[in-house]
Amino acid sequence: MDQPITFKRINALAIPAIFSGISESIITLTDIAIVGNIKENSVEALGAVGLVGSFLSAIIWVVAQTKTSLSATVSQHYGSKRLLVIKTLIPQAILFNFLLSLFLFLVTTFFVHEIFTAYNAEGLLLTYAKEYYVIRAWGFPLTLITFALYGVFRGLQNTIWAMKCSLTGAALNVILTYILVYGIEGLIPAYHIKGAAYASVVAQSVMLIMAFYYFFKYTPFTMRLSKRLNPSLKPFIVMSFNFIIRTATLNVAIYLANAYATGYGKSFIAAQSILMNIWLFFSFFIDGYATAGNALSGKLLGEKNYPALWQMSKAISKYAILISIILIAICFAFYEQIGLLFNQDPEVIRVFTSVFWIILLVQPINSLAYIYDGIFKGMGDAKFLRNNLIFATFCGFLPTLLLFDYLDFQLYSVWIAFAVWMCCRSFPLMYIFKKNYLRVNHEP
C-alpha cells in the first residue's frame, strides 16, 4: 500500500515548492526594490520595471503552461508505473518549449515599442521599459527550458531540485542587481536599470545549468531525440494549448489592470507595480501548496486512489488558508513599511497604503483558487480550467472594473475587480471537485 497523504508528505512537496516559487518572484521584487531607490528618476524607473515585470510574468505564465502539462503527464505515468512509455516525450516537449521561446523572443523584441505604448507608457517611462525589456527578453529560452525541467521534477514527486536551482538564482540576482545597478567605484560602472536586467539573465542562466545537472544525474530520462513522435506528444500539446488559452485570458485581466493604473498617473502605476508584485509574491508563496496538490493529484489519479485524492484536497486547502492568514497578519503589522521598502515618494506610498488592504483581505479566497487550480492541473483537466477562467475574466473581472472605473474609484477599481475575479475562479472549482470526488469517495 502506498504511503498515506500526511501533513509531512504534503509539506515535503509544498515547502521546497514555496521557496522555488517565491525565488522567481524575488528576482523581480529585487529589481523593483533596488531600482525604486535610485536617486535619479526613481518613480519612472520603478514604473518601468513594474510594467516589464508584469508583462514578463504574463508571457511566461502563458507559455510555461507546458510545464504544467508535462508535470501532469509525468505524474500520472509515475502513479501508474509506466514512465518508460513517455521516455521519448520529454526531449520532444523540451524542444517544443525552446522553439516557442525563440518565437516569443523575436516577436516581442521586434514590437517592444508597440507593446509598452499599449500599456499607456510614454516619455522616460517608455524609454526605461524598452531598455529593460530588450535585455530581459534574452531570458525567455533560459526560463522556459528550466520550467520544462521543473515540470519533469514535479511529476516525479520531487520539488527539492527546483528549489535549489531557484534559490541559487534568486540569491545571485540580489547580489548582481545591487552591484550592476549602483556599480563599484573604480571597478564596475553603474548600469542603472540595465544592470538589473543583466543580473536577471545571468541568474536565469545559472538556474538552467543547475536544472540540467539534476535532470541528467537523477531522472530516468535523457535528451536523446527520437525521429518517431511519442504518442503522448499530441495530448500533451492539446493540454498545453488549453492551458495557454486559459493563462492568456488570465493575462487579459493583468494587462487591463496595468493599463488602467498607468492611465491614472505615474504615482498610480508606481504604486500598482508594488501592489501587483506583492500579489504575485503571495501567489507564488501559496502556489507551493498548489504544486503539492498538482503533483499528488496526478499520481493519485494514475493510481485511481480517489479516497486519498479527496482527503488530500481538504488537507492542502486547510494548510494554504493557514499560510495566507499568517501572511496577512505579518503585512498588517508592517503595513506602511512594506511600501517604503520599494519607494520613498510620499504620493506613491499614499496610493499604496490606501489600496493594500484589499489585497490582504482577499488572500484566503486566492489560496483556495490556487489550490484547486493545482489539483485540476495535476489531473489534466485543462478544458474545465480554461472555461472557468474565461467566465471569471469576462463575466466577473471586466464588468467590475468598468463599473468602478466609471464611478471614478481609480486604483480601487482594479483591486475590487481582482477580488471579484478570484471569487469567480475559486468557488466553481471547489463545487465541481466536491460534486465529482466526494461522490466517488463514498461509493463502495
Side-chain angles (χ1 to χ4, degrees), residues 234-252:
K234 183 179 178 180
F236 163 78
I237 292 174
V238 170
M239 191 192 309
S240 297
F241 184 67
N242 277 313
F243 281 136
I244 285 171
I245 293 175
R246 172 189 178 275
T247 311
T249 305
L250 180 151
N251 286 301
V252 168

Side-chain angles (χ1 to χ4, degrees), residues 35 114 122 142 147 164 188 213 241 253 268 372 401 418:
V35 169
E114 290 76 11
E122 58 185 20
L142 307 171
F147 278 6
K164 291 179 178 179
I188 299 173
Y213 167 77
F241 184 67
F268 287 91
Y372 283 92
L401 176 63
F418 270 128

Side-chain angles (χ1 to χ4, degrees), residues 27 168-170 172-173 176 198-208:
I27 289 178
T168 302
L172 183 61
N173 183 74
L176 289 178
Y198 289 132
S200 298
V201 173
V202 172
Q204 289 164 335
S205 301
V206 171
M207 289 160 62
L208 175 60

Side-chain angles (χ1 to χ4, degrees), residues 316-329:
I316 289 186
S317 297
K318 179 175 67 177
Y319 302 144
I321 290 175
L322 178 62
I323 291 292
S324 70
I325 291 172
I326 293 171
L327 288 173
I328 291 169

Side-chain angles (χ1 to χ4, degrees), residues 16-223:
I18 287 171
F19 283 108
S20 177
I22 64 174
S23 62
E24 302 294 337
S25 182
I26 284 171
I27 289 178
T28 298
L29 283 172
T30 299
D31 290 359
I32 288 174
I34 293 175
V35 169
N37 284 288
I38 293 174
K39 292 181 180 179
E40 183 181 356
N41 301 318
S42 66
V43 174
E44 288 84 358
L46 172 60
V49 172
L51 274 181
V52 173
S54 294
F55 177 72
L56 282 170
S57 295
I59 294 295
I60 289 171
W61 278 354
V62 170
V63 293
Q65 296 310 306
T66 53
K67 172 185 73 173
T68 302
S69 302
L70 202 53
S71 173
T73 303
V74 173
S75 63
Q76 290 174 30
H77 283 80
Y78 181 77
S80 59
K81 297 178 173 58
R82 295 187 306 121
L83 282 179
L84 188 62
V85 175
I86 57 168
K87 192 167 186 178
T88 59
L89 170 68
I90 305 305
Q92 290 171 2
I94 292 173
L95 177 61
F96 175 77
N97 256 29
F98 175 68
L99 295 175
L100 187 58
S101 68
L102 284 182
F103 172 76
L104 281 171
F105 171 76
L106 293 172
V107 171
T108 59
T109 52
F110 185 79
F111 291 105
V112 63
H113 180 84
E114 290 76 11
I115 288 169
F116 292 106
T117 301
Y119 276 93
N120 292 324
E122 58 185 20
L124 190 57
L125 175 64
L126 177 60
T127 300
Y128 280 164
K130 289 162 59 178
E131 288 178 353
Y132 182 67
Y133 180 77
V134 168
I135 299 169
R136 282 290 303 266
W138 285 94
F140 270 134
L142 307 171
T143 299
L144 292 185
I145 296 173
T146 301
F147 278 6
L149 297 172
Y150 285 3
V152 174
F153 301 161
R154 185 192 301 177
L156 294 173
Q157 311 296 288
N158 187 300
T159 54
I160 292 176
W161 301 333
M163 177 194 73
K164 291 179 178 179
C165 299
S166 296
L167 285 179
T168 302
L172 183 61
N173 183 74
V174 170
I175 297 167
L176 289 178
T177 298
Y178 188 86
I179 292 172
L180 295 178
V181 168
Y182 295 120
I184 298 176
E185 190 173 352
L187 291 175
I188 299 173
Y191 288 99
H192 198 258
I193 195 171
K194 291 181 180 179
Y198 289 132
S200 298
V201 173
V202 172
Q204 289 164 335
S205 301
V206 171
M207 289 160 62
L208 175 60
I209 293 169
M210 290 182 65
F212 267 125
Y213 167 77
Y214 289 114
F215 177 81
F216 288 122
K217 187 171 179 64
Y218 296 112
T219 77
F221 305 116
T222 69
M223 286 298 293

Side-chain angles (χ1 to χ4, degrees), residues 338-396:
I338 290 172
L340 290 169
L341 287 174
F342 301 99
N343 194 258
Q344 305 293 318
D345 187 280
E347 183 60 21
V348 172
I349 298 304
R350 184 194 67 78
V351 175
F352 169 82
T353 54
S354 70
V355 178
F356 189 31
W357 61 272
I358 300 177
I359 294 176
L360 299 181
L361 293 184
V362 81
Q363 288 309 310
I365 294 173
N366 291 5
S367 298
L368 293 172
Y370 301 144
I371 292 305
Y372 283 92
D373 264 356
I375 291 172
F376 276 95
K377 285 176 181 177
M379 297 187 297
D381 199 344
K383 186 177 179 180
F384 173 62
L385 287 173
R386 179 200 68 194
N387 293 340
N388 179 59
L389 201 77
I390 290 173
F391 163 77
T393 301
F394 294 104
C395 298

Side-chain angles (χ1 to χ4, degrees), residues 93 151 153 159 171 183 227 244 252 256 261 285 303 328 339 397 399 403 443:
F153 301 161
T159 54
K227 294 181 180 178
I244 285 171
V252 168
L256 288 172
F285 205 103
E303 295 173 351
I328 291 169
F397 178 87
L403 172 63
E443 285 179 355

